[in-house]
C-alpha cells in the first residue's frame, strides 16, 4: 500500500462541488470511482480545497492510499483513461504516508476571471463572469491593498470549522488580459468558506464605482458578513495551485 | 418588413452544425426559433458560413427579414433573452433588402487552437485540440507559405456546390500564445468543405515532423483529397470574422 498525491484539473460546471455528497456528481466521487475501477479497491480521496459547485481547478491537490503493482505512470494513464472528460490527473507521485493535502498546505492560490461585454459571450460563459459595463481596474487594485496581510476576514466568509476567521493574504492582484478580460489572483495561507467569491463580489462593486476602495477597509473592520456584497458567481473561479512547505517546486 | 443582419457567437459543442437539419439541434434552428418567439412570425435565417458540428463562431454573420415595430436594440435584447446560453447576437442592424451573408462576403477568417500537453486538459477540452507532444511551430509556419495565394485546393476539400476548387488564401499564420497554446489564423475569399480542418490536420503532421513543410506543396499539386492528412477535430475551430466589400469596419 502506498500513498499517492495528484494534481487534478476539473471543469466544475457539471459538478456539485469537490466534496462527496449523498446525492449528485462530485469531483471526489468521480476520482474515487475511477480509482476503484482501475485498482479494484475501495479508496477514500482527500482534497486540499473543498471547491463549491461550478468552481474549477487546474491545481487541486488530492491524496489517497492504494495498492498498485505497476508504475506510477501506468496508474496515471489508467486513471485518465477511465475518468470523465471533465476531470484529469495532471501529475501523480508517491508521497509520504502521513501527507495530508489540506492540513499540510502552506498556501493556496485562486484566479477569478471577469469579462466585460455588453452582450452575452457564449464561448466564455463556462469559465468567466460577465460584467455588462467597463470596470475601473485601478479602483479594484487600490482596494486590494486593504486585503493583504494577516487579519480577520469574518466579513468575507465563515470558517469551515471552529471560529477562527483570521487568514493571511499574501497577495491580491488584478491583471488585465486581452479582449476585456480581467484576472484576479489571490494567494493566502488558507481561505474561509466562499471567501474568494465574497471578496470578488465586493471588488466588483468597487470596480463599478458603487463603493470606494477605502470602503473595503471598513467592511473588513466591521467583521460583519452581511455588510459585504453578494458573492461573485462560481463560474469565474479556479483553484490554481496549492503550496507545500519545502516543496515549492513540486507543482512545476 | 426590414432585413436585419447580425453577428452571432456560438459554442458549437452541443450543435449538429450551423445549418438546419431534419433532426437535431442546429444554430440556424435555434435562431429561427428565437426570432419566431420574439416576433410571432416564421422566419428563415441565412448564414455566411455553414460551420460543421462542434465548430464554434465568434463572428458568424446571418441575415433575416422580419416585421418589428420597436428599435433594433430592443430586438437584439429580446433575442438574447430567449436564445439558449450557447448562442448570442453580438451585434444587430438593419441592412439593405438584397444583402446576402454568403454571396456578398468578400472574405472569411477562421482560428484554430492547438494546446500541447502530455495529459488531458479538462478546462480546455471544448475549445482546443490537444496534442500530446511539442510541435515545431517554425515548420508549420514554413509550410503556410505554400498555402497563400489563389490556387486549386482540391487536395484540402470539396466545393459546397459545382466543381470549382480554386480559392484565394490571403494569409495563414501561426501565433504562439501562453501555456503551450498555438493559434492558427487563416483568411481566404472562401473555403471548401472542411478546408480549414483538412489544412490544420496536414500542418499538424508537419509540426510533428512526420512530413516536411515542402510536402504541402506536393499535396496541393496532387489535387488529391486522399493524399492529405485526416482533418483536425472540430472543437479547435472557430469562425471569427466575415468581411464585406465597402464594409470593412462593420464588425467592430
Amino acid at each position: 500500500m502506498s500513498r499517492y498525491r495528484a494534481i487534478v484539473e476539473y471543469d466544475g460546471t457539471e459538478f456539485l462541488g469537490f466534496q462527496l455528497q449523498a446525492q449528485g456528481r462530485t469531483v471526489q466521487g468521480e476520482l474515487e470511482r475511477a480509482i476503484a475501477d482501475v485498482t479494484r479497491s475501495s479508496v477514500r480521496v482527500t482534497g486540499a480545497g473543498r471547491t463549491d459547485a461550478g468552481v474549477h481547478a487546474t491545481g487541486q491537490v488530492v491524496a489517497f492510499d492504494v495498492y498498485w503493482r505497476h508504475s506510477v505512470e501506468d496508474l496515471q494513464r489508467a486513471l485518465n483513461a477511465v475518468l470523465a472528460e471533465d476531470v484529469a490527473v495532471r501529475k501523480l507521485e508517491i508521497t509520504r504516508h502521513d501527507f495530508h493535502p489540506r492540513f499540510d498546505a502552506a498556501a493556496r492560490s485562486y484566479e477569478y476571471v471577469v469579462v466585460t461585454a455588453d452582450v452575452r459571450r457564449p464561448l466564455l460563459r463556462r469559465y468567466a463572469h460577465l460584467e455588462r459595463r467597463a470596470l475601473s481596474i485601478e479602483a479594484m487594485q487600490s482596494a486590494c491593498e486593504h486585503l493583504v496581510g494577516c487579519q480577520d476576514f469574518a466579513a468575507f466568509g465563515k470558517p469551515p470549522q471552529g471560529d477562527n476567521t483570521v487568514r493571511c493574504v499574501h497577495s491580491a492582484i488584478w491583471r488585465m488580459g486581452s479582449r476585456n478580460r480581467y484576472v484576479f489572483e489571490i494567494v493566502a495561507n488558507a481561505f474561509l468558506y466562499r471567501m474568494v467569491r465574497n471578496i470578488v463580489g465586493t471588488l466588483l462593486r468597487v470596480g463599478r464605482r458603487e463603493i470606494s476602495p477605502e470602503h473595503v477597509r471598513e467592511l473588513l473592520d466591521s467583521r460583519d458578513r452581511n455588510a459585504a456584497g453578494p458573492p461573485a458567481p462560481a463560474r469565474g473561479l479556479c483553484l490554481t495551485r496549492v503550496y507545500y512547505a519545502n516543496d515549492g517546486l513540486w507543482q512545476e
Side-chain angles (χ1 to χ4, degrees), chain A:
Chain A
M1 183 89 89
S2 296
R3 187 152 180 83
Y4 291 85
R5 74 172 170 182
I7 298 178
V8 177
E9 173 168 327
Y10 48 85
D11 176 343
T13 311
E14 282 146 45
F15 287 106
L16 292 180
F18 179 83
Q19 198 174 12
L20 205 63
Q21 296 188 17
Q23 295 268 316
R25 190 168 179 258
T26 66
V27 179
Q28 185 187 347
E30 176 64 18
L31 289 166
E32 291 180 355
R33 181 199 61 72
I35 297 165
D37 277 6
V38 165
T39 67
R40 306 280 165 205
S41 51
S42 174
V43 166
R44 188 97 303 178
V45 168
T46 310
R50 291 171 185 164
T51 55
D52 281 348
V55 174
H56 316 291
T58 53
Q60 171 76 280
V61 173
V62 307
F64 53 90
D65 296 308
V66 79
Y67 178 73
W68 176 254
R69 63 169 73 221
H70 310 290
S71 72
V72 179
E73 293 72 29
D74 282 346
L75 180 55
Q76 183 179 359
R77 256 191 300 270
L79 291 175
N80 282 328
V82 302
L83 280 165
E85 62 168 12
D86 50 1
V87 196
V89 174
R90 293 187 66 181
K91 196 159 179 175
L92 184 67
E93 64 164 23
I94 293 176
T95 186
R96 46 173 223 278
H97 282 283
D98 60 348
F99 171 73
H100 193 288
R102 188 159 74 256
F103 302 145
D104 290 355
R108 291 97 169 141
S109 67
Y110 281 89
E111 283 187 359
Y112 195 97
V113 180
V114 178
V115 170
T116 57
D118 55 1
V119 291
R120 290 191 292 109
R121 296 295 314 274
L123 285 173
L124 306 174
R125 75 190 190 287
R126 293 169 73 99
Y127 311 118
H129 164 62
L130 184 76
E131 278 281 314
R132 297 290 169 148
R133 300 199 184 154
L135 293 166
S136 168
I137 192 163
E138 294 78 12
M140 294 194 294
Q141 188 55 52
S142 173
C144 284
E145 291 169 24
H146 302 293
L147 297 171
V148 177
C150 296
Q151 54 186 325
D152 191 336
F153 282 95
F156 291 107
K158 284 183 288 195
Q161 63 246 323
D163 56 2
N164 178 7
T165 48
V166 173
R167 295 293 185 274
C168 298
V169 170
H170 304 311
S171 73
I173 55 164
W174 284 92
R175 340 183 268 269
M176 180 137 189
S178 55
R179 301 184 190 186
N180 308 318
R181 194 168 176 274
Y182 303 83
V183 181
F184 175 64
E185 187 195 56
I186 186 164
V187 183
N189 68 329
F191 290 91
L192 303 171
Y193 181 63
R194 290 222 174 141
M195 179 167 149
V196 184
R197 289 171 57 194
N198 287 328
I199 284 174
V200 173
T202 295
L203 293 178
L204 290 174
R205 297 194 64 202
V206 172
R208 293 180 209 120
R209 298 291 196 184
E210 294 168 8
I211 58 174
S212 71
E214 294 67 39
H215 190 65
V216 171
R217 177 80 268 150
E218 292 167 39
L219 289 172
L220 280 161
D221 292 345
S222 78
R223 297 174 194 180
D224 176 4
R225 179 66 202 96
N226 299 313
R235 58 181 60 193
L237 187 60
C238 184
L239 171 58
T240 52
R241 192 161 171 180
V242 186
Y243 301 81
Y244 296 91
N246 303 320
D247 194 34
L249 294 174
W250 185 56
Q251 282 223 359
E252 51 236 34

